[in-house]
Every structure is written in structure tokens, then in C-alpha cells.
Amino acid sequence: MVRLYNLHPFGSQRVVPCKQEPAQFCCGHDVLFVASAAASCGVEVFAVRREGRCEPLGCFATLGPVLRMAYSREGDYLVTIEEKSKATFLRAYVNWRCMSAGSSRVCVRMVGHKMEESYTETLKEQMSIVEMALSDPPLCISCCPVNGDLLVGCKNKLIMFCLKYLVINQNLTVLDFERSLILHIDNFIPAEVAFCARHIAITTDLDVLILKLDLIQQSAVREEQCAYQGSTTEKPVDEGIKDEGLAARSLQLDLDDFVICQKPVELLGEDSKLCKIPITLESTELSTEDKKHFQVQYLLFRHFTPDQSPFGFCEETKLHSVQFLPVYQTGSSLTANEETENKRELLSLFCFFSLPHVGYLYSVEKLVELISTYQYSEKSEQAVLTPQFLHVITSDSLQCFTVRCSAAVARDEDPYIDTTVKACPPVTLDVCTLRIQLFIGPRAICHYKNHIILLTKADSEDITERRKPPRRMLSRKADCNKSRTNAESEPGWNLYIINTVSTIQLYREMVEYSRTYENARTESCIHLLSEAHLLVRAAIMDPSFYKSDEKEELLRAFGESCAFLGDCYSRFDTKDYHLALPYYRMSGLSVTEVLERLASESDEIQMYEKGFIFYLTHSLNEELNGELSKELADKVLQIFYLADPVQLPHIICSPCMKNVCPLTAVNYLRKVEDIMPSVVLTLTKAFMALKMGDLTMYECEMNSHKEIMLVCGFIGQPALLREYKEGIVIPTEFAVHLKVTQPGLLVAATVALHENSKIELEEADMFFKVLCNNNGEDTVPQLLLDFWEALLVACSQEEVLQELLLRVTYQYVWRISKKQLPETKPLKTTEDLINACDHFGFIFPWVTFIMSMESPLDEVCPEDISKLQSILCGQSIDITAALPVLEPLAEAGNVGLTIRVLCSTRLGNFEESIDQLLRQCPAAAVFYAQHELKGDNRAVWWNKLLPELCEEAKLSRSDNPVLISSLKETLSVVAMELELRDFLSLLPEDGTAAFFLPHLLHCSQRKLLM
């Protein structure tokens, strides 16, 4: 669908002062070339100045009438197809600017001709004509805007010439061409070609084929060529297409009584290979190390049928105006067309082609897809595509359509488009006709920057009509002084330069036009503002944007257009209401500014659409800076009470609503509570009661639910407890009050927030440090330690568990070593933690036994000591990672002993543990062995413990009841485990027989009983 608006994209027009009737013309960078249709064949060159003023630069003769011509900014050359004596010639005019400087010297040379030294001094000051001999007549030409290469279309082939710069000497570089590649296409006669960045578009009367030349590695050339030739000549065609007879496109049917109509075909991407148009590549480039090798990638094939509807059968249905529109990315900036000073990287590429009554715009760089279809009101003659517009000429008008290139490029360039952060009108947005400008006999058109060059040629009846009072459509300024006073003296043709108005001017006209639809609340308002937005986007993509005098105005217009679109999606009842949020964000407006645009200041009841509510809901919950005034905050309460009362508690908790009147908020909350009560609402009322200083109301609200329900409420609205200031999480007044009155609820709620991904671990650390006014790096407030302990109970992520275990271990060690008592009573005792989770294990009996020994140091931090020992008695902590943390307690009396032995045991070093116990606390050795030396570790009883006890008893030489008791207990265990002979071999030879005999008898009796 094409919408029609009556806008004014065209500004003033001027007449190009041509001496002869133009046959062909083209423009580029800053020049206009006009080839004469008269018998005296030649090309006039004009400099295109600001506002479309044309200044003649000179002229030069051609070999014959110019059939086709094209200009390349890369290399600054003009290429033509000329005819003489029924033969066609391909010529490139190089260094043509010398003609404008008054030099009449011309050098004619063949392509690839070696420059002689005698010519070197004169080449600087003369124009060179490079003739390119071809075996077949050239039919069409195209210059690549990226590197200046030339593509020539001939019957059944395409020939590519590479632009080369030949360095003659230090002061002279000469432009030349090298025939590098021939694409042989059987039974294919190109009518038009387009060439850009190794992409090729070819059209016949009813067929379009788009290809890409892919560079391949030299080592794989032979293999790739074989594979490619097989795929293009032998791959079977889809039967449906084969039945339509596409394979017989060259067959001439001499059937006078029948009209054969083939079915239209569209093949995209890999499917386009099924067109069965075999292509063979022939490299003609000289063999060098830098020689490039290509393979063909099919991108698109379309076959059309003669137009039969809605204008009846048309035998003259032919494709025309095939062209590429490249968009480049240079650094972080986008550039369009063929202009930029730096090396360009292709970001997007579009291809346009047209039938007489419909045009097609495709994206062909990353994904081949149809972007837009243009339906013309009458038969088109020619079209030119620009980043902002599509200009089409018909038999009596110049039409201007909008394009969707900037919408497609925005999505290629920015991954945040189509999210809640950024938005852009969709590529599928209906295109529109901005203007249908009447002209008499438009014949040809081309485009450069904001200039449209239009050739008109009137028939004899049209000239007669000029005698009547004209209907002025544009302001006309003539550059020539020649006046035409009557029809007889007029030649019947004109070459115009039409200036398009500035982007800002057209943008403002679109915005003004959109207001005619504003009150009706139609999609037309959104559509027209979307067109204005895309117009500004396209202007910002232009390479001249950063040097433009309109840069600041364009940026302001971009933000303004985003704001207008945000207004539309906020005010109108549309399915895309959610776009209000990204558009307002892109506009740079604050919540206050948006409210002042949309919210009525009166107390009248006003209906608000979903888009506005969606924007407010997200913005008030996410915006960190910019508090609303009391009046606007109260207005927000009214808006949400009327539009979405469920969100009211959440909105009140927004950082932007700090200035809201608590009493007003409570009144609205009570009204909502009667309809939809919730725990979040109750907590919000309690929060407002705190702000009012009404502790009675606060306690009443807090006591209305159980603690577990209150925790769920905090999960539903974390902003009740924490807010962000300059990226740092800080506690709210509610959290400060809970710290004093209900610290357990505060810790439980924070744990729940962490487990529901509402607060990160580091954020929670900062939260409690700020809450407890703790700025030290080493000191950790007790409330934060309580949080870590509670999180250990609830957390199931192994990585987080190890981090928490190390944190609490470090804190216990720090307190014990510094003899630092906690500033507040811990919320959980060791027993509570043991009963709550497996990370805190039951303290082993031998640890309890050692700790029962008197030690002055052990009496300082009993709770921290027991919690530390409980963690080491558990199986969760990574002992290897904990060893450096535990190092400060290595020599801390009995506490240090238990920690060292626990670590050695966890690492499997049982013998080392026994050595430590025997040195510092022999009485605990047997207790340790009874608890730890089980299963596979029982051999340590007789291999380590028994020999060590015997040795210690021998060295003591005096009665040591502890050693004797431990030795007897060890002998009893060993006697039960070993055979008599093995047991006997362990006993010391110099031992007292009376002491060991009972154990030998016990071992012997056990054997007999078995």
C-alpha cells in the first residue's frame, strides 16, 4: 500500500545552460556531464554549485553519438558507449578537468598500453581517452562506487575492468584499466547492469539476476572452480520452474495464434541457483602474487510476466532503473551513498529495479529480502534511488516516494533497536508518495546530493499548450539570459536542476501536516511522524552530516521526532503502545518533561492510554535521577489510581516519588486495598506511615501479616528496602527502621532478594555496610555476617557457596585473632546453623575434648570459635582454598590445634594429625582415632598410633596415666583387628610382659572363638 500526501520536497529549479539538446547525461561529485544529441557530437561539463547553480567548465568531442555514459568519483573518470559508422566503442575520459583549465591537448591510448617516457611530462596537462577494445559490442555499463572498477555488459557476457593507478615517476601517477574477469552467461542479453562492492545486478526485459563475486583463497582456486562449474551446469532445476519453461528463455516461438505467458518467479538466497542460468568465470588478469580469484554466489532471481493488470495487457512491459544503494560504516559513524574520506566498510546494500507500474527495493548484503514495493499511479519511465527518497518520472510528472533504507540500516548497525532501549519505525511501514509534481514530457533523470537533474522534451502539441497561462508548480530560476517568448522559438526541451528542500524544512512540514490527524487519533499521524523520523535518520547517516551546518538542528530534530512518536504511542490506543518507552528514552526527555507534555494540570478525570502507563511504569521503576515535584508526584498517584491501581504500591516506592505526600498516598492505597489487597500494598502503607511518623499505624500494618508473608512482599517490591544513588545501592528509611526493630526480617528479606536475583551479592554487602555506617575494608558489621550465614542456609549455587564460606571463615578468624567481639548479638547460634544446613557440621567429640582444656585465649570469642570449627567439621568448604585464611590461628592454643588437625584430616593426612595431637594434647589422640580412623584408615591404629604411644611411654620412664590409658585403649583396638602373629610382631621387645599379656590373651581368645 502506498499512501499519498501533498508535501513539498522540491524547492527551486534552474535550467542548465546547454548549447545542444541532451541525449545522455550523468552527474557525480560536483559535476554534470551532458552528451549532445546534435550532429556535432560532444560532452558539455558543468560545475554544480550550491542551490543548483551550473557553471560551464568546458566541453570535449566524442567519437560519435553517446549511447550510454557513467561517471566514477573513484578515479574521477567518465566512461561512455559511443557509436560511429554503426560500430560501438567503449571509451574512458581521464583527466578531463584539464579541458576546463583551457588545455586542448588530448591523448588517445588503448587500455593497458605501456606509457612511453616521452609522454610522461605532457600527461599532467592533457586529457586522456582510454579506448577499450571488445570482441562484442558493449550494451550497458556501470562503475563501482567503492573502488572505481568498471563493469561492461555485452551479449552473453559481462566484462570487469579493474581501475589501476600506474606510478610513472615520483611526480606522475596515471589512471589505467585492466581487463580482469569475464562472466560468461549463456543466452542472456543484459539491458542494464549495476555494480557495487563485487555485487552485480543484471536485467533483461523481464528478468533480474543479482550476484556476488566472493574472493577465494588461491590454494583452493582449482577445487572451487570445479565444484562451482558442476553446481551451475549440472544441478537439476526444481520441476515447477522447469515446467514453466525458464530453461528455454532463448527459444523464439513463432506462434502467431498464441500468447505464451510464463508464471512469475522469485528465488532468494540459495534458491536463486535454481534459475538455471549457468555462469562461467574467465580470469583475464595477469598472473601475479596479488591475483584475485572469485566464485559466484547467487543472491536473487526474479522473472516477471507482461503486465496484464490493472492497466490491461502491455507488450512494452520492461524492467528499468536497476541500481545499488550502498551504506557504509566508517568507525562508529554511518555513511551513505559513495562519499567518505576514510576507508569504508560496507554495512548494508540495497538494490532497486522497476517495472512500468511497480518498483521493488531489496536488501541484498546480509539477508536477501524484499524491503518495499512501490505502486505507481501511471506508467513510469525511469527512477533514481537515494537514501531519503525514490524519485520516479512518468509521462507528465515527477513523483517523490519515501524509502525504508534507514530503517533497515538502523537494525543492521544497532542491536538495541526494537528493544525497550531504542526503537525505529519498521521496515514494513507503508511507503508514501510525498509529491506528484507536474512536468511536460519528462524523459530522463539522475541524482546528486540534494539535486535532481531532469530532462524534459515536449511534443509539438505540448509546445502549443505553453501559450496558455501556465500553472506554476515551482519557483523557476534560469541561469541563462536567453528568453523564450513564443512557441516557435522554443526548442521543446529543457534540462532542469531541481533542488530538494532541506531535511529540516521537510521534516517540519511533515510534523505540521501530522497535526491534522492528531485529534482524530488515527494511524496516519503515527505514519507521517515515522516518515519524518526516518527522513532525519537518513540525513544523520550521510557522510557530510558531521561537517554540516545543520548538524545541531538535525540532532535536535531527531530527539524531537522521538518525542513526537512517544506522544503518539502514549496518547493513541494502538497495539504498539509499548514503543512509547524507547522513543521517549531516545528523545532525552526526563519523566518530569514527559508528564508536563501529557498530563493535564486540571483535576478533571482524564483517561490515559496503555502506552503512557507502560512508559510511566517502567521509567518510574528504573530512573535513578530526577525526583518529581510534589505536584507531579501527586498527579502520578491520580493517574495510576484511575488507569492501573494494581501498580500504585510499586509506583509509590519509585525513587522519583520521594516527594509524594504520604497522607495522599495512604488515602489512595486504602481505596485500592478495599478492591485488591496485597502484602506489597500493606508494606507500602507501613512505609508511608514511617514517613508520617505514625508508629502506631506502622506496627498495625506490620503485624497484619506473618513474617514469611512480609518477606514475599519485599520480593514483590525491592524498592521498599533499597534504592540506587549514583550507581550505588543504599538502604531506604524502611530498611533503617527494620535494622533497629526487626533485624531478622531485614536479613531474611535481603536473602530472599538475592535468591530471586533482585540484588547482587556485592550490592548486598554495600547495602549492609551503608546501613551500619561501616566504611572499613576489613571490618564487617555483624548484620552483614548474619546475612552471609543466612544466605549459606538458603543458597544452592556452588560458586556462591564457596565464596560465602570463605567470607565467613575469614571474618571468624579475624575476630578470634583480634579478640574482637561483635557489636550486636548474632541472629543465629552455632546450633541454629548446624540444624539449618549441612555446611555447618556437628562438632567432633575430640574437638570438644580439646576445647574443654583450659586456655585463656579460648574464652574470648566462644561463638565465633564454635562456628569456625563447625564449618571445618562440615564437608562443604574447600580446605585448600581456606588454608591461607586460617593461617593467623595456626599457633592460637587449643583453637589453633583443632583447626590444624581438622585441616590435616580433611586433606587425608591422618598420621600428621596424630603427630600434632601427641605433641600438644596426647589425651585427645585416642578420641581422635576412634572418630576418624575407620574403614580404610584403621591401619593407622597399628602402623602409626601404637608405635608412637609405645615410644612415648618408653621415653617418659615414669608413670604417665594419660599415656598409659591411651596405650591400653589402642592395644585393645589393635588386638581386635589383627592376627595373633601380626599383633605380637608389633609389641616392643623390651616391653613389660605383664602389661602386654592381657591383650595377647584377648587376641588369642578372639581367634579361638572365631
Side-chain angles (χ1 to χ4, degrees):
M1 175 181 177
V2 178
R3 301 180 183 228
L4 176 62
Y5 299 109
N6 188 24
L7 298 171
H8 301 84
F10 306 125
S12 62
Q13 71 182 41
R14 295 175 181 268
V15 175
V16 180
C18 300
K19 297 178 182 179
Q20 302 290 339
E21 178 182 348
Q24 297 286 332
F25 60 92
C26 68
C27 57
H29 190 39
D30 56 354
V31 291
L32 171 63
F33 298 92
V34 182
S36 172
S40 57
C41 304
V43 174
E44 295 180 78
V45 186
F46 300 90
V48 182
R49 307 304 185 191
R50 297 191 59 160
E51 299 181 359
R53 291 184 298 106
C54 283
E55 299 177 1
L57 287 181
C59 63
F60 52 85
T62 59
L63 191 64
V66 177
L67 305 180
R68 299 284 181 98
M69 65 191 307
Y71 170 76
S72 172
R73 185 187 176 189
E74 294 292 329
D76 192 25
Y77 69 88
L78 178 72
V79 62
T80 62
I81 298 177
E82 304 171 16
E83 184 180 31
K84 184 176 183 180
S85 302
K86 297 183 180 181
T88 54
F89 299 87
L90 181 65
R91 310 178 99 200
Y93 294 83
V94 180
N95 207 20
W96 53 266
R97 293 183 187 269
C98 292
M99 304 298 292
S100 62
S103 174
S104 59
R105 302 180 64 176
V106 177
C107 167
V108 181
R109 56 187 170 90
M110 297 298 294
V111 65
H113 176 69
K114 184 178 181 181
M115 302 297 172
E116 300 292 341
E117 286 295 327
S118 58
Y119 290 102
T120 57
E121 294 301 324
T122 58
L123 284 175
K124 292 182 183 179
E125 301 175 358
Q126 65 182 16
M127 181 176 73
S128 295
I129 302 175
V130 182
E131 294 198 353
M132 307 177 200
L134 301 174
S135 59
D136 294 300
L139 302 176
C140 47
I141 51 177
S142 179
C143 300
C144 175
V146 178
N147 52 31
D149 291 349
L150 173 65
L151 186 70
V152 182
C154 303
K155 182 179 179 181
N156 297 334
K157 70 176 68 172
L158 299 176
I159 304 171
M160 186 172 77
F161 291 87
C162 287
L163 180 65
K164 306 189 83 175
Y165 295 90
L166 302 179
V167 179
I168 303 299
N169 55 49
Q170 186 177 0
N171 301 318
L172 180 63
T173 300
V174 178
L175 195 71
D176 199 8
F177 297 87
E178 179 183 1
R179 189 195 319 251
S180 60
L181 187 68
I182 301 177
L183 290 82
H184 296 277
I185 311 175
D186 294 342
N187 302 319
F188 204 89
I189 303 177
E192 292 183 347
V193 293
F195 188 34
C196 180
R198 302 201 310 271
H199 291 75
I200 298 173
I202 326 162
T203 63
T204 62
D205 288 347
L206 294 174
D207 293 334
V208 181
L209 180 62
I210 301 179
L211 312 167
K212 182 179 180 182
L213 298 175
D214 288 329
L215 284 170
I216 58 176
Q217 296 293 330
Q218 187 171 358
S219 59
V221 170
R222 189 169 300 172
E223 178 182 350
E224 292 289 345
Q225 285 179 343
C226 294
Y228 169 71
Q229 290 173 358
S231 65
T232 54
T233 59
E234 299 178 6
K235 189 167 183 176
V237 180
D238 181 79
E239 291 298 325
I241 299 174
K242 185 176 179 180
D243 293 340
E244 301 300 335
L246 292 182
R249 65 180 62 256
S250 63
L251 183 62
Q252 303 297 320
L253 298 177
D254 188 15
L255 299 174
D256 297 334
D257 298 332
F258 298 95
V259 176
I260 306 300
C261 294
Q262 297 176 339
K263 184 178 179 181
V265 175
E266 180 184 41
L267 301 173
L268 304 177
E270 290 295 323
D271 293 339
S272 58
K273 292 181 179 179
L274 301 177
C275 66
K276 202 174 183 181
I277 300 178
I279 299 176
T280 305
L281 301 182
E282 178 188 349
S283 178
T284 57
E285 187 178 1
L286 295 177
S287 297
T288 62
E289 294 182 359
D290 299 331
K291 183 177 180 179
K292 298 177 181 178
H293 301 276
F294 300 97
Q295 66 180 6
V296 174
Q297 177 186 358
Y298 289 81
L299 299 180
L300 179 144
F301 173 77
R302 282 204 71 163
H303 172 73
F304 297 95
T305 57
D307 194 1
Q308 302 180 54
S309 175
F311 303 95
F313 186 81
C314 178
E315 294 183 354
E316 297 182 358
T317 299
K318 293 182 180 180
L319 288 161
H320 64 78
S321 304
V322 62
Q323 55 201 286
F324 283 118
L325 177 68
V327 178
Y328 305 98
Q329 184 170 17
T330 305
S332 59
S333 62
L334 294 180
T335 60
N337 285 331
E338 59 272 2
E339 299 185 20
T340 185
E341 298 299 329
N342 303 320
K343 185 177 180 180
R344 297 170 294 185
E345 177 184 349
L346 191 67
L347 177 64
S348 298
L349 184 64
F350 303 92
C351 184
F352 175 83
F353 49 85
S354 183
L355 289 169
H357 293 105
V358 60
Y360 300 92
L361 178 61
Y362 281 85
S363 172
V364 296
E365 172 60 17
K366 296 175 182 176
L367 178 66
V368 181
E369 60 179 341
L370 179 64
I371 299 295
S372 302
T373 301
Y374 295 87
Q375 298 286 344
Y376 310 137
S377 58
E378 52 186 317
K379 181 182 176 183
S380 64
E381 302 291 340
Q382 193 179 351
V384 290
L385 178 67
T386 76
Q388 291 180 309
F389 306 109
L390 173 69
H391 300 292
V392 180
I393 57 172
T394 65
S395 60
D396 61 359
S397 67
L398 168 62
Q399 301 182 8
C400 179
F401 296 84
T402 57
V403 295
R404 298 289 166 262
C405 297
S406 58
V409 170
R411 288 164 173 82
D412 289 340
E413 191 267 342
D414 195 338
Y416 291 101
I417 295 293
D418 298 326
T419 67
T420 58
V421 179
K422 294 182 182 179
C424 180
V427 176
T428 56
L429 184 72
D430 291 340
V431 295
C432 69
T433 306
L434 295 181
R435 185 77 176 177
I436 299 179
Q437 185 71 52
L438 297 180
F439 277 91
I440 296 176
R443 290 292 186 268
I445 187 174
C446 70
H447 169 270
Y448 166 67
K449 285 189 175 179
N450 63 325
H451 308 301
I452 300 168
I453 293 85
L454 177 65
L455 173 65
T456 64
K457 187 174 182 181
D459 296 329
S460 58
E461 60 269 20
D462 296 327
I463 298 175
T464 304
E465 285 293 323
R466 291 191 189 182
R467 296 179 180 179
K468 301 179 181 179
R471 179 183 176 185
R472 292 189 65 83
M473 306 301 294
L474 294 172
S475 62
R476 179 176 175 183
K477 300 177 183 177
D479 283 347
C480 59
N481 296 323
K482 181 174 61 175
S483 62
R484 301 184 179 119
T485 58
N486 54 68
E488 288 75 21
S489 64
E490 294 183 4
W493 60 266
N494 270 314
L495 186 63
Y496 295 101
I497 289 189
I498 303 169
N499 300 315
T500 54
V501 300
S502 69
T503 300
I504 294 296
Q505 182 179 337
L506 184 57
Y507 161 76
R508 300 211 180 283
E509 185 182 6
M510 287 181 167
V511 172
E512 188 65 29
Y513 200 139
S514 70
R515 288 171 182 161
T516 61
Y517 301 103
E518 194 171 18
N519 294 330
R521 296 193 172 191
T522 63
E523 289 297 322
S524 295
C525 183
I526 296 178
H527 183 273
L528 197 49
L529 286 173
S530 297
E531 292 286 9
H533 177 82
L534 290 176
L535 182 73
V536 176
R537 267 190 184 272
I540 293 175
M541 283 166 30
D542 193 275
S544 61
F545 165 71
Y546 294 96
K547 299 179 181 179
S548 171
D549 297 336
E550 293 186 334
K551 177 181 177 181
E552 297 301 324
E553 280 191 272
L554 286 170
L555 292 176
R556 280 196 298 270
F558 181 81
E560 185 183 72
S561 68
C562 292
F564 286 144
L565 284 169
D567 292 344
C568 287
Y569 288 111
S570 295
R571 289 172 174 162
F572 298 163
D573 183 12
T574 171
K575 62 181 179 64
D576 296 321
Y577 65 88
H578 62 279
L579 293 176
L581 177 61
Y583 276 121
Y584 274 139
R585 281 178 168 169
M586 293 164 63
S587 72
L589 295 176
S590 65
V591 178
T592 298
E593 291 169 322
V594 173
L595 282 169
E596 290 173 348
R597 291 169 70 96
L598 298 180
S600 172
E601 294 182 1
S602 64
D603 293 331
E604 298 178 3
I605 296 178
Q606 181 180 352
M607 294 303 295
Y608 297 97
E609 297 296 344
K610 292 184 290 185
F612 183 44
I613 301 304
F614 182 83
Y615 163 75
L616 276 183
T617 301
H618 283 76
S619 297
L620 292 176
N621 286 333
E622 297 173 13
E623 188 163 338
L624 308 181
N625 299 317
E627 298 175 3
L628 299 180
S629 65
K630 179 181 179 300
E631 293 74 17
L632 282 178
D634 292 346
K635 186 65 181 179
V636 169
L637 291 182
Q638 180 189 16
I639 291 172
F640 276 92
Y641 174 70
L642 295 174
D644 193 1
V646 176
Q647 292 295 327
L648 198 57
H650 303 279
I651 295 303
I652 291 173
C653 297
S654 168
C656 300
M657 298 287 286
K658 279 189 174 182
N659 297 324
V660 71
C661 175
L663 182 59
T664 304
V666 169
N667 291 335
Y668 276 114
L669 289 171
R670 283 172 177 166
K671 293 178 182 179
V672 176
E673 190 174 31
D674 295 337
I675 307 170
M676 292 170 285
S678 69
V679 181
V680 175
L681 191 148
T682 300
L683 289 171
T684 308
K685 285 173 64 181
F687 193 7
M688 293 299 103
L690 273 180
K691 287 192 171 186
M692 292 188 295
D694 190 344
L695 294 180
T696 303
M697 176 183 171
Y698 168 82
E699 292 176 359
C700 179
E701 297 296 338
M702 295 298 288
N703 292 332
S704 62
H705 293 285
K706 294 181 179 180
E707 185 172 296
I708 186 63
M709 294 302 297
L710 295 177
V711 170
C712 294
F714 286 121
I715 296 173
Q717 185 44 262
L720 287 164
L721 294 178
R722 57 107 179 101
E723 59 183 340
Y724 292 89
K725 186 175 183 180
E726 298 179 356
I728 299 175
V729 62
I730 58 175
T732 62
E733 300 170 48
F734 205 163
V736 173
H737 188 76
L738 287 176
K739 172 202 168 188
V740 179
T741 58
Q742 293 177 279
L745 174 60
L746 177 61
V747 169
T750 312
V751 169
L753 291 180
H754 179 273
E755 290 303 285
N756 286 274
S757 302
K758 299 296 180 69
I759 190 171
E760 298 295 328
L761 185 58
E762 298 301 327
E763 291 179 335
D765 293 350
M766 181 59 65
F767 173 82
F768 282 108
K769 286 184 177 181
V770 174
L771 183 66
C772 300
N773 297 319
N774 189 300
N775 297 322
E777 295 183 1
D778 294 330
T779 58
V780 172
Q782 177 59 43
L783 205 57
L784 177 54
L785 187 58
D786 290 330
F787 166 73
W788 290 342
E789 292 174 349
L791 192 55
L792 275 172
V793 175
C795 186
S796 58
Q797 303 176 35
E798 181 62 28
E799 187 175 333
V800 177
L801 280 175
Q802 291 301 324
E803 174 68 18
L804 289 171
L805 286 168
L806 289 176
R807 287 188 182 191
V808 296
T809 300
Y810 176 83
Q811 190 58 26
Y812 297 149
V813 170
W814 186 86
R815 284 185 180 177
I816 295 168
S817 62
K818 301 293 184 181
K819 302 180 182 180
Q820 182 75 43
L821 294 174
E823 68 275 14
T824 59
K825 182 180 179 181
L827 296 178
K828 298 284 186 182
T829 64
T830 305
E831 186 177 354
D832 294 334
L833 294 171
I834 291 173
N835 294 331
C837 66
D838 296 333
H839 312 306
F840 289 84
F842 287 100
I843 298 177
F844 302 148
W846 60 270
V847 175
T848 305
F849 177 80
I850 294 174
M851 295 304 298
S852 64
M853 305 295 185
E854 293 185 0
S855 174
L857 182 62
D858 302 340
E859 299 174 359
V860 178
C861 305
E863 194 66 33
D864 290 333
I865 292 172
S866 61
K867 288 180 179 178
L868 177 59
Q869 291 172 338
S870 178
I871 285 181
L872 297 177
C873 289
Q875 298 298 313
S876 298
I877 191 169
D878 183 355
I879 289 295
T880 303
L883 286 176
V885 178
L886 297 168
E887 187 64 29
L889 296 181
E891 304 299 330
N894 288 345
V895 175
L897 175 62
T898 58
I899 290 172
R900 291 199 308 274
V901 174
L902 282 169
C903 292
S904 298
T905 303
R906 285 286 303 276
L907 294 173
N909 300 327
F910 298 101
E911 295 186 1
E912 180 182 337
S913 299
I914 289 174
D915 286 337
Q916 295 183 57
L917 289 172
L918 290 176
R919 282 198 303 268
Q920 291 186 246
C921 189
V926 174
F927 286 102
Y928 171 83
Q930 289 173 341
H931 187 268
E932 303 293 345
L933 302 182
K934 299 176 181 178
D936 296 338
N937 301 319
R938 293 187 69 83
V940 180
W941 279 95
W942 50 86
N943 291 334
K944 179 64 178 180
L945 183 58
L946 180 56
E948 289 293 338
L949 287 174
C950 291
E951 185 65 23
E952 288 292 332
K954 178 181 178 181
L955 292 175
S956 64
R957 295 183 179 275
S958 59
D959 293 336
N960 189 329
V962 174
L963 282 175
I964 297 301
S965 175
S966 298
L967 182 57
K968 287 181 178 181
E969 184 63 30
T970 303
L971 288 169
S972 299
V973 172
V974 174
M976 292 296 294
E977 294 292 331
L978 299 181
E979 297 292 335
L980 181 59
R981 180 181 299 175
D982 297 332
F983 181 55
L984 186 59
S985 66
L986 294 173
L987 299 181
E989 296 180 357
D990 56 350
T992 304
F995 181 81
F996 294 102
L997 186 58
H999 301 286
L1000 286 168
L1001 291 174
H1002 180 69
C1003 182
S1004 176
Q1005 291 171 358
R1006 179 180 61 83
K1007 180 66 176 177
L1008 292 174
L1009 291 174
M1010 293 174 59

